[in-house]
Amino acid sequence: MQTDRPLTVRVLLERSVQILARAGVPTPDVDAELLIGHVLGATRGRVQSLTITDAPVTVEDAVAITEAVERRAAREPLQHITGVTGFRTLELAVGPGVFVPRPETEFVAGLAIDSLRADASESPIAVDLGTGSGAIALSLATEVPHARVVAVENSTAAFIWAKQNFRSVDARNARLVFIDLAVALPELDGLVSVVISNPPYIPDRAIPRDPEVRLFDPEHALYGGPDGLDVIREVSRTALRLTRPGGTLVIEHGELQGAAIRSLLTADGWTATSTHRDLTGRDRATTALR
């Protein structure tokens, strides 16, 4: 580390932004502020305030910040470095072995939350197939507190993260089950109001461009067979078994898969299939009614 300038938040932020920008990180300013805040135990707003006042930084903190920035410059996900990610109203633990939930999935979760809130049942049931970190299931449980939510996961590594998040969020109306989604929850057949899934949907040969995804997200959470729809076919069949008449299915998918998924769901017996665009204008989710 260069020591010709005093170790201050402003100096470290300037250097960090330069390093991350050269590495091609899409949001170097934001990431640098968050990494500095992670080391200093400060919010991003507080880091900005410390930058303005040119607050000093200890050598130990400066070294820790530099190491964190170097990890991010190697395109390790920001969330793996900080150990947490925000999702809707929640802060969740994430790391190697579990898919880091994306902002667009917050929109997909919102579709399920709206359907669950619209259900006239006193205590409607929702199921999240392939919960990963638990982000969707815990959002449903906390934002629709009169509902009962069941999350299903069959990856040991992801289940460990989900279990940690279920414990920390402590939503008493949610439970986590380790089982394959194809055979999950027969005791709920015909009783579920909303089934939601963010399954692996990338075709096997479509390698993601972003190093954060390609190198760090677990393959079992990314790839869905030759056409990307293998797990979605299982989700459709399981959801048909679980949902009550009039129940809703919500599936996240890639922006070019809407038509194929609507056709698949219609062939399985779902009605009122509809594809929804996220806030960037891309097709992101398809819904259907039982």
Side-chain angles (χ1 to χ4, degrees):
M1 176 187 297
Q2 296 177 355
T3 57
D4 55 329
R5 297 175 66 186
L7 292 171
T8 67
V9 173
R10 180 175 60 81
V11 169
L12 285 167
L13 179 62
E14 290 173 356
R15 292 178 182 173
S16 299
V17 171
Q18 291 173 1
I19 291 168
L20 296 179
R22 285 198 300 268
V25 172
T27 54
D29 300 67
V30 174
D31 287 27
E33 289 173 350
L34 290 172
L35 289 170
I36 291 171
H38 170 64
V39 172
L40 299 182
T43 64
R44 186 181 168 203
R46 177 61 177 158
V47 170
Q48 293 170 347
S49 175
L50 293 172
T51 302
I52 294 171
T53 60
D54 208 18
V57 178
T58 66
V59 172
E60 291 78 9
D61 283 343
V63 170
I65 290 167
T66 301
E67 290 174 348
V69 169
E70 288 174 349
R71 289 172 64 185
R72 186 69 187 101
R75 303 305 291 270
E76 184 175 350
L78 173 71
Q79 298 86 348
H80 283 198
I81 302 168
T82 64
V84 296
T85 189
F87 188 85
R88 293 182 68 89
T89 64
L90 303 174
E91 184 175 85
L92 303 170
V94 292
V98 71
F99 184 80
V100 176
R102 306 296 197 261
E104 53 266 30
T105 302
E106 298 185 33
F107 160 79
V108 181
L111 296 174
I113 288 167
D114 290 344
S115 294
L116 200 54
R117 285 175 173 162
D119 192 285
S121 307
E122 182 178 342
S123 184
I125 301 171
V127 172
D128 177 14
L129 296 175
T131 196
S133 66
I136 292 175
L138 290 169
S139 292
L140 268 63
T142 54
E143 296 185 46
V144 194
H146 67 281
R148 289 181 288 158
V149 181
V150 185
V152 169
E153 182 54 61
N154 71 346
S155 160
T156 303
F159 189 82
I160 292 170
W161 289 105
K163 191 172 182 179
Q164 179 178 340
N165 287 321
F166 268 67
R167 185 165 52 246
S168 62
V169 173
D170 193 27
R172 301 300 177 88
N173 58 331
R175 65 185 176 99
L176 177 64
V177 180
F178 186 83
I179 194 171
D180 191 281
L181 66 84
V183 295
L185 311 175
E187 71 277 11
L188 295 181
D189 285 357
L191 300 176
V192 177
S193 295
V194 176
V195 173
I196 182 170
S197 183
N198 178 15
Y201 53 74
I202 299 175
D204 290 344
R205 295 186 178 181
I207 307 302
R209 292 194 204 94
D210 293 341
E212 291 87 346
V213 178
R214 185 175 68 252
L215 300 177
F216 293 95
D217 274 331
E219 290 188 3
H220 65 79
L222 296 177
Y223 301 106
D227 62 357
L229 304 181
D230 282 359
V231 181
I232 290 175
R233 294 183 179 94
E234 289 188 353
V235 167
S236 174
R237 291 191 291 266
T238 298
L240 276 170
R241 169 170 59 79
L242 291 172
T243 48
R244 60 166 181 75
T248 300
L249 172 63
V250 181
I251 299 176
E252 180 171 334
H253 55 74
E255 62 182 301
L256 302 179
Q257 294 174 316
I261 291 174
R262 291 195 303 273
S263 177
L264 182 162
L265 295 179
T266 300
D268 279 352
W270 293 94
T271 64
T273 60
S274 179
T275 297
H276 306 262
R277 293 181 176 178
D278 62 20
L279 297 179
T280 68
R282 296 180 175 91
D283 286 352
R284 181 57 56 193
T286 292
T287 58
L289 297 179
R290 177 74 166 87

